[in-house]
Amino acid sequence: MLTVIGYPDYSLTKIIVEKLQATEVGVYDKVFPDGEFYVRLLEPEKITSSVAVVVSTLYPEQEKRLLKTLLLVDAVKRSNPARTVALIPYLAYSRQDKVFLNGEPVSACLIVRMLRSAGVDVLLTVDVHSLRVLECFDGSSINVMVSDILVKHALKHSSNPVVIAPDKGALERASLAAKQNNLEYDYLIKQRDRVTGEVRYMPREINIEGRDVIIVDDIISTGGTIAESSKILLRNGARRIIVAATHGLLVGEAVKKLESAGVSKIILADTLGVKHDHHLIEYADISSKLIEELNKIVLSGK
Ligand code: R5P
């Protein structure tokens, strides 16, 4: 049996419940006058002996969502499920996945360890920034790659495109997406000054003259990475730039920045607790991959 526990404001909860015909367990939550959170499962007895899936995401309001998720997992665990799965498509803090400068924490590791110590047995996430993050989780973890779905969707807006990763770190997700869609791929060389945050790009020898380019990345935050890559690619003769990125945080003026850099379309996955409404933005449906993974988890008994 499968039970699903999630916040009603996150649309993925409903999708999972409907597609898996699972039992939804409601959550009552409130904030105490002093600002502390309170959560209570409405029918905890339904969870007993089931595979309990806590559906959450850690953006926006990362700290608040993290704490609420931990509280929920703790409550679920106390209801004696067979296993507790956390479906968290976006893991906040994942970019701080190592010590870049002396004195820093490894925030990403801390987050997944907190989830583990609250009682998560299986962590199911989407296109995590780097697999290093999941190595810190000592339960089982699954990283669902969706760049192939995003690029497939981007093909509706491009012809004979080449797939480009904005840096070597994004090459694996770009190559996966390109191979699945029979496309060529390459990457740009990016150098970031760790102290000032300034980014410089060195274009590689790629023939993009007159061709559409699909830029594949995991996160768009300020839009700086994609905007700079787009400008370089357009200067080097690209015809159109379509962006396929998994987590569209799109902070502040990010969309404007991308539009003025010449981006013609932005394809995103619905992994966050917020959706952007803009004529450049389209969302690709990734729920079938998540359903597939949840089915495997239930069948495997692990
Ligand atoms: C960096 O390594 C990530 O993969 C993204 O490229 C980066 O986080 C995007 O951030 P921004 O949109 O602020 O440039």
Side-chain angles (χ1 to χ4, degrees):
M1 201 184 63
L2 197 73
T3 49
V4 173
I5 305 95
Y7 288 98
D9 71 332
Y10 186 31
S11 56
L12 189 62
T13 308
K14 279 271 165 294
I15 296 173
I16 301 286
V17 169
E18 278 165 23
K19 291 203 179 173
L20 283 171
Q21 296 187 327
T23 305
E24 184 172 5
V25 174
V27 176
Y28 169 74
D29 69 334
K30 68 174 182 179
V31 182
F32 286 111
D34 58 3
E36 292 179 3
F37 298 121
Y38 171 88
V39 304
R40 184 164 55 84
L41 301 170
L42 294 180
E43 294 158 297
E45 63 285 352
K46 286 186 176 168
I47 288 173
T48 309
S49 307
S50 73
V51 173
V53 183
V54 175
V55 184
S56 182
T57 183
L58 302 185
Y59 188 87
E61 300 184 294
Q62 296 90 322
E63 296 74 22
K64 179 173 156 184
R65 282 178 189 265
L66 173 65
L67 189 53
K68 280 190 170 187
T69 306
L70 293 168
L71 295 175
L72 259 192
V73 171
D74 186 82
V76 164
K77 210 64 191 173
R78 289 170 197 283
S79 309
N80 299 313
R83 266 169 306 150
T84 303
V85 179
L87 167 53
I88 307 181
Y90 178 70
L91 280 174
Y93 289 88
S94 63
R95 283 170 290 178
Q96 185 71 33
D97 59 352
K98 61 180 178 184
V99 172
F100 297 97
L101 295 175
N102 271 343
E104 291 176 347
V106 183
S107 319
C109 268
L110 178 64
I111 301 281
V112 297
R113 286 194 188 123
M114 283 164 95
L115 289 164
R116 180 69 175 141
S117 73
V120 173
D121 301 307
V122 184
L123 176 58
L124 177 56
T125 191
V126 175
D127 196 1
V128 67
H129 179 64
S130 93
L131 289 176
R132 253 197 303 267
V133 178
L134 299 182
E135 282 163 16
C136 300
F137 184 80
D138 73 358
S140 65
S141 59
I142 301 161
N143 180 41
V144 180
M145 294 303 288
V146 296
S147 53
D148 53 335
I149 298 183
L150 302 180
V151 167
K152 191 171 178 198
H153 190 109
L155 287 173
K156 293 181 194 164
H157 303 286
S158 53
S159 61
N160 185 29
V162 55
V163 173
I164 300 284
D167 55 43
K168 209 170 175 189
L171 184 59
E172 207 182 312
R173 63 178 64 81
S175 73
L176 169 106
K179 285 177 192 158
Q180 296 278 327
N181 290 285
N182 290 317
L183 300 169
E184 290 175 79
Y185 62 94
D186 208 332
Y187 69 96
L188 297 174
I189 298 171
K190 169 177 164 184
Q191 290 173 338
R192 185 188 289 273
D193 184 318
R194 285 276 158 213
V195 178
T196 63
E198 194 196 335
V199 171
R200 285 195 320 134
Y201 285 90
M202 323 260 286
R204 278 165 47 96
E205 291 298 312
I206 33 170
N207 188 11
I208 48 159
E209 187 77 43
R211 295 185 68 181
D212 287 349
V213 173
I214 302 177
I215 303 181
V216 170
D217 207 355
D218 57 339
I219 300 170
I220 311 179
S221 177
T222 64
T225 302
I226 302 284
E228 287 313 306
S229 318
S230 303
K231 286 185 211 161
I232 282 182
L233 292 162
L234 288 167
R235 272 207 298 275
N236 280 269
R239 194 165 72 106
R240 261 185 312 203
I241 305 285
I242 297 97
V243 176
T246 310
H247 313 289
L249 277 54
L250 297 168
V251 175
E253 300 284 277
V255 182
K256 242 189 204 167
K257 202 185 280 178
L258 297 178
E259 195 167 18
S260 18
V263 169
S264 12
K265 236 347 143 206
I266 304 164
I267 314 299
L268 304 172
D270 180 12
T271 58
L272 309 175
V274 61
K275 264 183 146 177
H276 301 272
D277 189 12
H278 188 275
H279 68 275
L280 283 191
I281 301 174
E282 286 178 16
Y283 284 88
D285 184 8
I286 60 157
S287 61
S288 58
K289 278 211 180 185
L290 300 177
I291 300 291
E292 201 181 303
E293 290 302 330
L294 285 171
N295 271 325
K296 279 192 219 158
I297 292 170
V298 173
L299 290 175
S300 76
K302 276 192 268 166

